[in-house]
Amino acid sequence: MLSTPLGPGAELCPLEPWQAEELAAFTDRARDHLSPWLPWAHDVTDTESARGFLQRYADRQAADSGRILGIRLDGALVGGTIFRVFSAAQGSCEIGAWLSPEAQGRGLVTRAAGAMIEWAVEARGLARVEWLVSPANAPSIAVARRLGMTHEGTLRSVFGMSGTRHDLEVWAVLAEEWRKGNAPHPHE
């Protein structure tokens, strides 16, 4: 229900507080893979913390300032996407994504992020979509490139995680670039 197809057996669907137990179990299975890149992977440690995380995004969705979606493969939660920042008033948003190791190599993140860009640009009229990524996260940088994003610069030592300061590259695509077809669209 309320899903966007991402290919054979794959879909992008809402991820809501009532699914906290499933998110907690997914995070436990994929924590080693996710934790170098995602601060929330350190915080979601059980059903209660997963419910709090999902509730914050449910509240943000209600306030039109964020959203979280799950990527499912044959019904199983294998990843997700997020509007970490979403501002219709400013006409911009930031997308993030994650995927379990066993689901990689199928284009799921590229298609899911493409569906989110399509919705942000066409349904909501946003002018700019950002993708922030660690310079060490080559697969995520490859997704930004496949989406037709431009590397705009690097924020040095922008946040701390696990006692270490981290840089973030800023990648973005503008609505007019997306519409010109410089990026793959989700249903291709």
Side-chain angles (χ1 to χ4, degrees), residues 38-84:
L38 302 169
W40 65 261
H42 299 269
D43 301 329
V44 173
T45 57
D46 56 20
T47 300
E48 184 177 331
S49 57
R51 183 173 289 107
F53 177 69
L54 292 172
Q55 186 61 54
R56 284 189 294 281
Y57 274 92
D59 294 344
R60 291 175 76 185
Q61 182 172 331
D64 199 26
S65 66
R67 183 175 298 241
I68 189 169
L69 301 161
I71 298 173
R72 295 187 176 280
L73 187 58
D74 298 325
L77 184 64
V78 296
T81 60
I82 199 165
F83 281 119
R84 198 183 72 76

Side-chain angles (χ1 to χ4, degrees), residues 88-101:
Q90 294 295 319
S92 65
C93 65
E94 178 199 332
I95 294 176
W98 58 94
L99 198 63
S100 62

Side-chain angles (χ1 to χ4, degrees), residues 20-52:
E21 186 174 345
E22 183 180 25
L23 178 64
F26 165 81
T27 305
D28 281 344
R29 283 191 312 274
R31 188 174 322 280
D32 289 343
H33 178 70
L34 303 175
S35 62
W37 320 114
L38 302 169
W40 65 261
H42 299 269
D43 301 329
V44 173
T45 57
D46 56 20
T47 300
E48 184 177 331
S49 57
R51 183 173 289 107

Side-chain angles (χ1 to χ4, degrees), residues 121-122 173-185:
V121 168
E122 299 303 339
V173 64
L174 304 180
E176 59 268 18
E177 294 166 340
W178 182 256
R179 288 185 184 119
K180 284 181 185 174
N182 293 344
H185 286 260

